[in-house]
Amino acid sequence: MRIFVCGGAGFIGSNFIRYILGKHKNVQILNYDALTYSGNLNNLKDIEKDKRHRFIKGNIADKETVDLVFQKFKPDYVINFAAETHVDRSIHIGAKEFIDTNITGVFNILEAVKARSGVKKYVQVSTDEVYGSLPLNSKNTFKEDTAFAPNVPYAATKAGGDMFCRAYYNTFKTPVIVTHCSNNYGPYQYPEKLIPFFILRMLENKKLPLYGDGKNVRDWIYVLDHCEALRLCLFKGKPGEVYNIGADNEMSNLEIASLILNHFNRDKSWMEFVTDRPGHDRRYAIDSRKIRKELGWKPKHQFKKVFTETIHWYLKNEDWINNVREKTGVFNPHIDLWEGHKMKK
Ligand code: NAD
Ligand code: DAU
């Protein structure tokens, strides 16, 4: 079983590779990643001696290299995690790289899959952000047929990639599946994202900056529950289908901040309300009944337990944090601007 994984050096991709190697003996993985600011081979250090995993540095926006790797590796399955993923960067730094990777990159993968009849399935890992925002005081959720309504440049580019997948299935029967997952947490997440960013702020004795009133809601899922859902989509999912993935775990940013403060024995004075993110989606909530019913998936991890384990992971992995800090320096452009720092790319 030969799996071509794009973006396998990032947060979810590296967790997925480790998870698949643990679940399947007879597997060959080719990990193709450009190693941008969020890609990090340290995320795969514990499996570097496993011969079933090979790494190639490459960009999905580079069509020639993608084609060449496809011809040589001859994958049975393809899964794409490679993306520009941070909303604040798409707002404060610009969307050009988001367009190159999240749209052109997906187009290149689709073309390569279309040209190679041996590919059984291609899973395009996407996001619930393509559906836009839900009101706080409602029971509405995102379903697979909810209309796209992206509100920030990041989400618009992910929606563009998803649209190409839909078009390639309908036009060419390219065997592609698109997944829309909610916010992930767990080990190896680049500390620009809410949970690891707040943990690092605690370690630096800095306040936790909440955008706006802090009441925005996200539907949190443990990264390994997402990985299992993706594994099922890859091996059991139906080409042309869309699957929404979520753990029914809506929490406000204020609640997440309180849990982290609690862990570090700090009171609410460590919260700071800062300028809101432009285009800030109010609430995400996923209806995942389809994947539960059709592929037999359900989240297995209990939030309180794995949330605490996640905090411990960052506390225990100081070297990983120092390495990430040395490599990139700036974690959160929104807060950097707000605190009056100079922007660095
Ligand atoms: P991440 O930023 O941690 O990792 C992205 C990886 O892609 C990095 O290793 C990076 O080097 C690589 N990459 C970027 N541009 C590339 C290019 N042009 N060519 C090759 N490699 C490139 O992101 P993540 O949080 O692991 O997200 C993975 C996927 O899951 C993304 O598609 C994202 O949209 C989606 N997603 C993420 C979440 C979340 O909460 N993190 C939720 C739902 C969906
Ligand atoms: O929903 C899935 C999406 O989740 C993924 O597609 C994205 O790749 C991923 O980045 C994530 O997007 P969010 O914008 O929801 O995640 P982020 O961690 O940036 O922010 C989560 C919430 O916390 C959001 O409401 C903004 C808020 N926030 C974030 C940071 C970093 C703060 O209030 N303060 C902060 O410092």
Side-chain angles (χ1 to χ4, degrees):
M1 196 157 65
R2 302 168 74 76
I3 312 178
F4 184 48
V5 177
C6 303
F11 163 49
I12 306 174
S14 61
N15 275 289
F16 179 80
I17 290 175
R18 186 176 297 101
Y19 186 69
I20 291 291
L21 291 175
K23 275 249 169 212
H24 298 270
K25 261 197 169 155
N26 189 14
V27 67
Q28 291 294 324
I29 293 177
L30 186 67
N31 177 5
Y32 181 85
D33 192 300
L35 296 183
T36 65
Y37 75 95
S38 67
N40 186 351
L41 289 179
N42 283 339
N43 294 355
L44 297 155
K45 221 177 170 63
D46 56 324
I47 51 166
E48 69 189 353
K49 295 214 166 80
D50 194 322
K51 296 227 161 42
R52 297 172 300 162
H53 167 245
R54 276 178 293 159
F55 175 78
I56 292 188
K57 185 171 175 190
N59 194 320
I60 57 167
D62 172 2
K63 181 169 171 21
E64 268 177 37
T65 319
V66 171
D67 287 344
L68 193 71
V69 174
F70 258 74
Q71 278 163 28
K72 294 241 181 255
F73 183 62
K74 300 186 175 36
D76 303 309
Y77 296 96
V78 176
I79 182 162
N80 179 33
F81 297 92
E84 285 294 332
T85 59
H86 196 48
V87 174
D88 292 318
R89 284 179 174 256
S90 77
I91 297 168
H92 295 297
I93 296 178
K96 168 77 174 77
E97 282 158 7
F98 288 73
I99 294 168
D100 294 345
T101 297
N102 301 357
I103 301 178
T104 308
V106 172
F107 165 69
N108 289 340
I109 297 170
L110 285 165
E111 279 285 287
V113 172
K114 177 173 154 254
R116 204 189 115 64
S117 55
V119 177
K120 294 189 179 77
K121 233 169 289 163
Y122 161 27
V123 171
Q124 170 59 20
V125 181
S126 191
T127 170
D128 57 0
E129 295 208 13
V130 298
Y131 298 123
S133 185
L134 295 166
L136 269 192
N137 300 317
S138 81
K139 290 218 157 70
N140 296 359
T141 51
F142 297 136
K143 301 179 179 59
E144 282 79 3
D145 60 0
T146 300
F148 280 14
N151 288 318
V152 286
Y154 159 70
T157 60
K158 290 296 289 185
D162 297 355
M163 287 300 190
F164 263 102
C165 293
R166 177 192 156 94
Y168 266 59
Y169 177 76
N170 284 314
T171 313
F172 307 113
K173 289 285 167 284
T174 307
V176 61
I177 284 174
V178 175
T179 62
H180 297 133
C181 188
S182 54
N183 290 59
N184 286 223
Y185 63 97
Y188 302 103
Q189 186 167 33
Y190 186 80
E192 63 193 348
K193 307 289 195 301
L194 180 74
I195 291 173
F197 183 62
F198 276 11
I199 297 170
L200 262 63
R201 297 279 292 190
M202 287 282 91
L203 293 176
E204 293 164 349
N205 287 318
K206 288 182 179 161
K207 290 188 176 182
L208 304 187
L210 284 153
Y211 298 176
D213 60 10
K215 290 185 183 154
N216 300 60
V217 166
R218 297 293 182 263
D219 190 351
W220 293 96
I221 182 171
Y222 188 56
V223 64
L224 292 183
D225 282 328
H226 186 192
C227 291
E228 171 61 5
L230 293 172
R231 188 184 74 88
L232 291 172
C233 289
L234 200 58
F235 300 138
K236 286 190 179 172
K238 204 167 147 221
E241 292 294 318
V242 170
Y243 298 95
N244 283 359
I245 304 166
D248 291 338
N249 186 36
E250 287 184 56
M251 296 182 76
S252 72
N253 298 334
L254 274 165
E255 286 173 293
I256 295 286
S258 300
L259 287 175
I260 294 174
L261 288 176
N262 230 3
H263 190 95
F264 287 90
N265 286 321
R266 301 210 173 140
D267 64 23
K268 295 223 153 72
S269 67
W270 285 83
M271 283 185 194
E272 188 165 39
F273 294 90
V274 305
T275 324
D276 207 355
R277 169 190 279 174
H280 197 178
D281 287 333
R282 201 56 165 154
R283 169 176 165 253
Y284 301 147
I286 285 271
D287 180 337
S288 58
R289 278 177 295 176
K290 177 175 171 181
I291 189 170
R292 290 174 194 243
K293 188 162 175 256
E294 292 182 12
L295 304 186
W297 174 82
K298 63 172 188 228
K300 293 204 176 91
H301 294 88
Q302 199 248 333
F303 175 77
K304 276 230 162 91
K305 181 169 180 287
V306 282
F307 185 81
T308 309
E309 281 172 17
T310 299
I311 298 182
H312 285 150
W313 187 87
Y314 288 94
L315 297 181
K316 274 191 284 181
N317 285 278
E318 215 181 324
D319 286 354
W320 183 89
I321 293 173
N322 289 338
N323 175 275
V324 170
R325 211 193 297 273
E326 266 164 37
K327 196 174 148 200
T328 44
V330 168
F331 291 138
N332 186 335
H334 190 76
I335 294 308
D336 264 44
L337 284 175
W338 190 78
E339 288 180 340
H341 297 305
K342 259 190 145 179
M343 285 293 301
K344 257 203 299 191
K345 208 166 176 177

